[in-house]
Amino acid sequence: MIMFTEEQFMSFTYIVDFGVPDWFKLYYHVISVVSTIISSFSMYVILFQSGKMDGYRYYLFYMQFAGWMMDLHLSTLMQFIPLFPVFGGYCTGVLTQIFGIDDSFQTTYTAFTICLVASALNSCFVRKHQAISKISSKYLLNDIPYIIVIFLLNFYPVVAATLLYLSMLTKENQVILVKEVYPNLVENFAHLPNYVVFDSNFWAIVFFAFIFFGCTYTLILIVTTTYQMFNILEDNRKHISTSNYAKHRATLRSLLAQFATCFLIVGPASIFSFLVVIRYEHSQVATHWTIVALTLHSSANAIVMIITYPPYRNFVMLWKQNRSFHFSTVHRSSEMHTRMNTERSFAITVTS
């Protein structure tokens, strides 16, 4: 059911560019390659350079993989072109050009991948919380409650995506919405092979409420588990080895730093929602830049993880040093070989 009325939106007279900006299309291609390279390297480091780290490495891998999935979908598979202040847009990526996947489904999957990143982050905090809780057994969960918690955390993206899909209008209702709400843009929409526009119906309201609940729950979970983990470490500092204490604190600091990169998701999403409400005249350009920020997340998270966790940082620095040493050795060898050839040629000339 369409809840917008013609009287509410007949004043909509903003000019909307239905074309694809060249710089935006180029950015999609560039960030896709960059994100894949950085994420692949970070996943390799997690799997093969984590030393004696327990199963927590697989949670880190899960979080990095989820972030890469989100970036890959946005920058390659979907390539969404927003039409703000129209609450909608269209897709130009591989899923549209080659497979003809409906834009509504692609938008639903976007919500799934974004929420999956949050679920992976929450899972990392819970897993690390349980690892540190083993020191004192104060907050330690049994296997079954732990599995239930992890399952519920990772079921969140499925529920969020389902709610968004339920809020989607049928193609017939989208056409009606465009005619009623954006009458001056009907001809522009008619030239698009596929598009998606949104309506503030009941399921849309439930979806945004569920997202707000998820963000609030994530913040509470991270603050609570972090406080408890630091307390456990400090209370039991005399009962654990110095190396284990340092390892746990380093891992925890790295995880908190990775949490900070989630503002590249929360920030753009908040701006996106704000632009929906205020219908700012130049919001189309603003939404381009919010998508730019959103697609930087997995690369930023990988870089922060490598910089803030000593074993990964040391591996990268050692790898750079080895490459520099190899290059300098080859360079000196080449110079010596050239000098010897020159001296030999000079000696032959003199002898002759």
Side-chain angles (χ1 to χ4, degrees), residues 170-208:
T170 63
K171 288 302 176 185
E172 294 76 14
N173 282 337
Q174 288 189 51
V175 172
I176 294 173
L177 178 64
V178 169
K179 290 180 179 179
E180 292 184 352
V181 180
Y182 316 109
N184 61 316
L185 301 177
V186 171
E187 185 176 348
N188 300 86
F189 276 103
H191 286 88
L192 293 177
N194 201 6
Y195 61 85
V196 58
V197 289
F198 301 93
D199 176 34
S200 57
N201 53 38
F202 169 77
W203 287 112
I205 295 172
V206 173
F207 168 74
F208 281 109

Side-chain angles (χ1 to χ4, degrees), residues 41 306 312-328:
F41 179 73
I306 291 173
Y312 300 158
R313 183 175 65 244
N314 294 338
F315 168 73
V316 173
M317 296 302 294
L318 182 62
W319 179 67
K320 287 178 62 178
Q321 290 173 6
N322 288 338
R323 281 181 58 87
S324 299
F325 175 76
H326 176 73
F327 176 79
S328 61

Side-chain angles (χ1 to χ4, degrees), residues 56-315:
Y56 175 67
R57 75 174 69 187
Y58 301 111
Y59 287 77
L60 277 180
F61 179 87
Y62 171 40
M63 181 167 63
Q64 191 58 48
F65 182 76
W68 174 68
M69 278 182 58
M70 182 191 73
D71 284 1
L72 181 68
H73 175 68
L74 288 171
S75 62
T76 303
L77 302 179
M78 185 181 183
Q79 294 188 351
F80 185 68
I81 306 299
L83 297 175
F84 277 45
V86 174
F87 189 19
Y90 63 96
C91 304
T92 62
V94 173
L95 293 179
T96 298
Q97 300 294 334
I98 298 179
F99 300 101
I101 304 297
D102 185 74
D103 287 10
S104 297
F105 179 80
Q106 295 186 53
T107 307
T108 302
Y109 186 70
T110 300
F112 175 82
T113 58
I114 293 175
C115 293
L116 189 66
V117 174
S119 295
L121 176 68
N122 287 337
S123 298
C124 283
F125 270 92
V126 172
R127 178 65 180 82
K128 192 60 189 175
H129 178 267
Q130 289 302 286
I132 293 179
S133 294
K134 291 179 181 179
I135 297 174
S136 65
S137 300
K138 187 176 181 180
Y139 303 105
L140 192 62
L141 295 175
N142 294 325
D143 290 343
I144 294 179
Y146 174 76
I147 292 173
I148 292 174
V149 169
I150 294 297
F151 172 78
L152 291 176
L153 287 175
N154 290 277
F155 192 65
Y156 176 82
V158 177
V159 178
T162 302
L163 291 175
L164 180 60
Y165 188 77
L166 290 173
S167 72
M168 296 288 185
L169 299 174
T170 63
K171 288 302 176 185
E172 294 76 14
N173 282 337
Q174 288 189 51
V175 172
I176 294 173
L177 178 64
V178 169
K179 290 180 179 179
E180 292 184 352
V181 180
Y182 316 109
N184 61 316
L185 301 177
V186 171
E187 185 176 348
N188 300 86
F189 276 103
H191 286 88
L192 293 177
N194 201 6
Y195 61 85
V196 58
V197 289
F198 301 93
D199 176 34
S200 57
N201 53 38
F202 169 77
W203 287 112
I205 295 172
V206 173
F207 168 74
F208 281 109
F210 188 69
I211 294 299
F212 179 77
F213 162 77
C215 293
T216 305
Y217 179 80
T218 296
L219 184 61
I220 294 173
L221 174 70
I222 291 175
V223 170
T224 303
T225 55
T226 300
Y227 176 77
Q228 292 175 352
M229 285 187 283
F230 274 118
N231 274 349
I232 292 173
L233 289 176
E234 290 303 320
D235 293 343
N236 296 274
R237 186 170 184 176
K238 296 180 180 179
H239 306 293
I240 58 177
S241 65
T242 304
S243 60
N244 277 339
Y245 176 81
K247 181 187 71 174
H248 283 306
R249 285 188 66 92
T251 306
L252 189 51
R253 287 198 184 101
S254 177
L255 190 56
L256 287 171
Q258 292 173 72
F259 166 64
T261 65
C262 284
F263 285 102
L264 286 173
I265 297 177
V266 177
S270 301
I271 295 172
F272 212 79
S273 302
F274 181 67
L275 293 173
V276 170
V277 176
I278 66 170
R279 292 182 173 272
Y280 175 54
E281 184 175 359
H282 302 290
S283 59
Q284 187 172 17
V285 176
T287 51
H288 288 158
W289 288 104
T290 59
I291 293 175
V292 167
L294 191 63
T295 52
L296 290 173
H297 172 262
S298 71
S299 299
N301 185 75
I303 293 172
V304 167
M305 179 193 70
I306 291 173
I307 291 176
T308 57
Y309 190 54
Y312 300 158
R313 183 175 65 244
N314 294 338
F315 168 73

